Amino acid sequence: MTDTSSDIADITALDAYLDAHQAKLVTTDGSYALSVHGDIMVGTRRVPYHLVPDEGFLGKTAKWRKLDDAARLALVQERWNSATRARLEAHVRECAERVLTLAEQYELDPTGALQAFLAKYELAKRRCSLALDRIAALRDSHAATRQAEKTRNAVNLSLYPESFTLAQSMRRHFIAVLGPTNSGKTHAAMEHLAQAGTGAYLAPLRLLALENYQRLLDAGVAVSLITGEQRKLHPDATHVASTVEMLNPNRPLDVAVIDEIQLLDDPDRGAAWTAAVCGVPASTVYLLGALEAEPAIEALVKRVGGTLEVKKLQRKSPLVMEKKPLGSLKNLQAGDVLIAFSRREVLNWRDQAIEQGFAVSAIYGNLSPEVRQAQAERFIDGETKIVVGTDAIGMGLNTPARRVIFTTASKWDGYSEGEIPAALAKQIAGRAGRFGAHEAGYVAGLDSHTHQIIANLLKETTEPLPASGFYVAPSLDYLQQIAAATDQNKLQALLELFTKHINVHDEFFLPANLADQIEKARWLDALPLTLADRFTFSLCPVSTKIPMLERALQDWAQYRADGRVAPLLRMEGMGGRNELQYLEDTCKLYAAYAWLGYRMADTFPHGEMAQTLMQSTSDKIDALLQAQNTRRHGRRPSQDKRRQPGNGKPRQFKPGRR
């Protein structure tokens, strides 16, 4: 599909109109809306706002998609113009005047109340009500005010770094090693780590923790592996390779390596990277990641204290955009990686690639790390010739890909289908042309439309990470402080207090997205469990979107409440799932039991068996994926005309290692 000149003109007109009127399109509550910003003067005080005007909702996502560009522009002009801005600002001014009047009358600080106007995804009337609620709360009786003060002081995020007493007592030197994919960021850091007397490698994925655990073992280092679901403990360990959430802030180290530091900006997991930078007690701390993380790193290191050295690396081999799109799967070549953005599409494209006579590895997020690694190893060893994967290949899997081909440039973000960010496109594309395996990496789109979008994304200057708003998740200690200050013992209420009423006056630190944890807390609070137990269950990596897993977690929590030992084998029928989906969910079930086994061994004593079953199920998934390569035509698809001449064996890729 191609854009006509009139389409381009309309799109340009819409963008220009939005820019001229200080507005931006956002999605909220499954709908498209206008988020507008500006400021008003109330007396001598400037009051900024960033809100969705009351007329700002443009319709549900499906309705918006049906509109052509001209209709979209017309709708935006109707909903946001000088008249609607005047109404919005009059409403905000009236509200701000009431806030300032109360503040003056009762000698209150109105800053927190006025900051209610800065919420780009929420309606103006809702935020005005919130501003008035905030100032009214400050006006409450002396006893209530004192109690509110005590609650806020229980968790003052401005003092978050100081809660890591060991790290704060040390003189730490941070070394940020930043660069694109395939720039060799990890090598020097891991060399220094291996030579250190004590150290830790903190990974974003179990897969990367395992890879660098093996790397340190191969270097003769006494190292333990610690992830949420897995432990390999060395009796004399000087080092640890772990997932970033497993940071031990109470063990002093010589060197620590924190990988994929740009994930500081992730609302779901970024809190773990904030905690690592604030709390890792190492004399030298390596921060490895993308170039756009530099301003965030500078701001955070300045806040937590320590010296900072920044090293910027270039990609080791060139990345080249193909002159034309792939066009058809008939043009696939050995060493290609096809990118899709859902499990269903990965399996669909995989089947089509098999029809073209290739053996194919499939890699997507629902697979366990062991299966993803096994599928990648088949490609590395030449057993498969093509990889079809999601953006799961963008982190932690080093494959000898010659070319990366995007089947689409759109991805579902949980609210709507939209164009992928430039940073993600670059991270995925960067997997092409691994240094030592190919002289260059190549990138293409499957069709001309996708090809052009990807080409443009790779040329974009990636937006830097913000230098404030670092996410923080509550520890059990934090929640117990809130409980002591408020006499509240319900986990759901404590989590909501943390997200809504803590002291975040400077917004340097912000509460992480706790929606999934709060959802679990709703039913956990009905059980006779300690706060510590409810908190642990709420963190168990079980998706509430998979009924079998959620029911298992609820049953396990009931076993804990009853003081009974939880059995490992709680299996159900296929429940309408195909064999592959069933095995994937079963693997997650064993992983969740193992996770609980490390934290509540008296209730979940079969953790080692869970580990064994998790591995055997992963092996079954890998075998099933591989069997599907041969099932269609009753032969190994890669062993026909693509054999190397003279030796009768498939070509072997010999890539370098990260």
Side-chain angles (χ1 to χ4, degrees):
M1 182 183 296
T2 57
D3 293 324
T4 66
S5 59
S6 61
D7 289 335
I8 295 172
D10 284 339
I11 293 170
T12 303
L14 176 58
D15 291 340
Y17 187 84
L18 292 169
D19 289 342
H21 290 77
Q22 296 176 289
K24 182 179 180 180
L25 290 177
V26 298
T27 56
T28 179
D29 295 331
S31 298
Y32 271 83
L34 289 163
S35 179
V36 304
H37 61 92
D39 56 70
I40 57 171
M41 295 300 299
V42 182
T44 59
R45 189 180 188 115
R46 186 179 70 86
V47 178
Y49 64 85
H50 196 165
L51 300 162
V52 174
D54 296 340
E55 303 94 332
F57 274 86
L58 304 173
K60 294 291 185 181
T61 299
K63 178 181 177 182
W64 177 262
R65 287 177 181 166
K66 293 177 181 177
L67 299 178
D68 61 23
D69 296 310
R72 292 178 180 179
L73 175 60
L75 181 58
V76 169
Q77 290 173 328
E78 175 190 336
R79 299 294 176 83
W80 186 242
N81 49 56
S82 57
T84 53
R85 180 183 287 277
R87 285 197 294 273
L88 171 68
E89 293 190 345
H91 186 196
V92 173
R93 182 176 289 105
E94 178 187 4
C95 183
E97 287 173 347
R98 292 170 64 187
V99 167
L100 292 172
T101 298
L102 285 171
E104 182 177 1
Q105 183 178 352
Y106 293 95
E107 298 182 347
L108 306 173
D109 181 2
T111 303
L114 295 177
Q115 282 182 342
F117 300 134
L118 298 174
K120 65 180 180 179
Y121 295 110
E122 294 194 40
L123 278 170
K125 61 183 179 183
R126 187 180 303 165
R127 300 305 291 189
C128 283
S129 295
L130 179 60
L132 293 170
D133 288 344
R134 286 181 177 178
I135 201 70
L138 291 177
R139 186 202 55 194
D140 285 343
S141 67
H142 178 70
T145 301
R146 185 175 58 188
Q147 183 62 44
E149 185 83 11
K150 188 177 179 182
T151 301
R152 287 195 302 274
N153 289 339
V155 184
N156 184 348
L157 287 191
S158 298
L159 301 176
Y160 179 70
E162 285 72 20
S163 67
F164 297 95
T165 53
L166 179 56
Q168 285 292 298
S169 70
M170 299 176 67
R171 296 172 61 89
R172 295 189 295 169
H173 179 58
F174 293 87
I175 303 174
V177 185
L178 308 177
T181 307
N182 235 330
S183 58
K185 297 185 292 290
T186 312
H187 180 73
M190 293 304 295
E191 288 291 314
H192 190 177
L193 179 61
Q195 294 166 9
T198 57
Y201 169 77
L202 302 175
L205 302 170
R206 183 154 56 98
L207 189 64
L208 274 174
L210 181 59
E211 177 183 321
N212 285 287
Y213 163 76
Q214 190 61 51
R215 186 175 189 162
L216 291 168
L217 273 183
D218 293 343
V221 176
V223 58
S224 292
L225 173 71
I226 300 178
T227 71
E229 305 88 352
Q230 192 174 15
R231 304 283 194 280
K232 294 183 179 180
L233 302 179
H234 191 294
D236 302 311
T238 57
H239 290 59
V240 62
S242 74
T243 42
V244 67
E245 285 86 356
M246 303 306 294
L247 164 71
N248 180 356
N250 301 313
R251 181 191 175 202
L253 303 167
D254 295 323
V255 175
V257 176
I258 305 174
D259 211 347
E260 303 293 355
I261 189 64
Q262 73 276 2
L263 290 175
L264 277 167
D265 197 39
D266 187 303
D268 295 315
R269 293 188 66 204
W273 276 262
T274 303
V277 175
C278 292
V280 65
S283 300
T284 301
V285 182
Y286 283 89
L287 307 174
L288 313 181
L291 291 163
E292 59 264 25
E294 183 178 7
I297 291 170
E298 289 176 342
L300 189 53
V301 171
K302 181 179 180 181
R303 173 63 185 84
V304 304
T307 54
L308 174 63
E309 175 184 355
V310 178
K311 298 180 179 179
K312 298 181 182 180
L313 304 181
Q314 300 296 319
R315 184 180 163 89
K316 288 187 173 184
S317 59
L319 191 63
V320 180
M321 193 74 196
E322 295 269 42
K323 293 181 179 179
K324 59 182 182 180
L326 184 72
S328 168
L329 294 194
K330 293 180 181 178
N331 298 321
L332 281 175
Q333 300 173 14
D336 283 345
V337 172
L338 280 173
I339 300 297
F341 290 105
S342 72
R343 175 185 181 275
R344 182 179 64 181
E345 287 302 303
V346 165
L347 296 176
N348 175 45
W349 287 112
R350 180 208 57 173
D351 291 346
Q352 293 187 51
I354 291 173
E355 292 288 356
Q356 297 300 318
F358 290 98
V360 182
S361 288
I363 297 172
Y364 48 93
N366 204 44
L367 296 175
S368 70
E370 290 81 7
V371 178
R372 278 181 263 170
Q373 186 62 53
Q375 288 287 298
E377 290 291 342
R378 292 185 185 279
F379 183 63
I380 291 169
D381 294 338
E383 187 176 344
T384 59
K385 300 300 184 183
I386 302 291
V387 172
V388 183
T390 63
D391 43 341
I393 77 160
M395 187 185 301
L397 283 173
N398 298 307
T399 59
R402 189 190 74 86
R403 180 171 59 174
V404 168
I405 301 154
F406 289 80
T407 63
T408 178
S410 296
K411 180 183 179 182
W412 178 259
D413 64 1
Y415 296 99
S416 63
E417 192 85 13
E419 187 176 288
I420 61 174
L424 179 59
K426 291 177 181 180
Q427 185 178 45
I428 296 170
R431 290 296 169 188
R434 178 150 187 81
F435 183 70
H438 302 284
E439 292 183 359
Y442 296 88
V443 185
L446 182 64
D447 57 86
S448 58
H449 180 67
T450 302
H451 191 79
Q452 186 58 55
I453 291 175
I454 296 299
N456 292 339
L457 289 174
L458 296 187
K459 292 176 186 175
E460 269 189 31
T461 300
T462 306
E463 186 175 344
L465 267 61
S468 64
F470 297 100
Y471 296 109
V472 173
S475 64
L476 178 60
D477 181 61
Y478 266 61
L479 295 182
Q480 288 171 334
Q481 289 180 48
I482 300 175
T486 62
D487 295 325
Q488 174 60 257
N489 196 46
K490 295 292 187 183
L491 178 60
Q492 179 186 343
L494 292 172
L495 292 171
E496 290 174 344
L497 281 168
F498 180 86
T499 60
K500 294 178 181 177
H501 298 295
I502 54 178
N503 191 342
V504 291
H505 61 85
D506 62 358
E507 297 193 346
F508 190 83
F509 297 106
L510 292 176
N513 179 9
L514 304 179
D516 187 66
Q517 194 175 2
I518 289 172
E519 184 63 32
K520 292 173 183 172
R522 295 183 197 281
W523 56 264
L524 283 166
D525 280 332
L527 297 174
L529 291 167
T530 66
L531 177 61
D533 280 352
R534 280 176 281 141
F535 180 69
T536 299
F537 277 112
S538 75
L539 292 174
C540 185
V542 164
S543 173
T544 56
K545 297 178 181 178
I546 303 176
M548 180 185 83
L549 299 182
E550 186 173 32
R551 284 194 297 271
L553 185 63
Q554 291 171 351
D555 286 354
W556 288 336
Q558 188 66 59
Y559 275 106
R560 179 74 173 179
D562 295 342
R564 294 182 293 155
V565 171
L568 171 59
L569 296 177
R570 184 196 181 283
M571 304 299 297
E572 297 179 354
M574 299 280 278
R577 295 179 292 266
N578 60 33
E579 183 182 6
L580 179 59
Q581 180 70 66
Y582 179 71
L583 289 173
E584 290 170 5
D585 290 350
T586 299
C587 198
K588 292 180 185 297
L589 186 75
Y590 293 141
Y593 189 101
W595 189 93
L596 290 167
Y598 285 118
R599 293 157 178 81
M600 302 174 176
D602 53 337
T603 304
F604 303 94
H606 309 301
E608 289 189 11
M609 179 59 72
Q611 288 280 349
T612 301
L613 290 172
M614 187 169 62
Q615 183 60 57
S616 63
T617 306
S618 294
D619 292 342
K620 289 178 183 177
I621 294 170
D622 179 56
L624 179 59
L625 289 170
Q626 196 58 15
Q628 290 170 345
N629 275 306
T630 64
R631 194 173 294 163
R632 291 185 175 275
H633 303 297
R635 58 180 172 82
R636 291 188 63 91
S638 63
Q639 292 182 350
D640 50 9
K641 61 184 179 182
R642 293 176 178 83
R643 289 178 181 273
Q644 291 298 297
N647 61 11
K649 296 180 180 179
R651 178 182 176 186
Q652 298 289 309
F653 290 108
K654 297 295 184 183
R657 292 286 184 177
R658 184 162 91 162

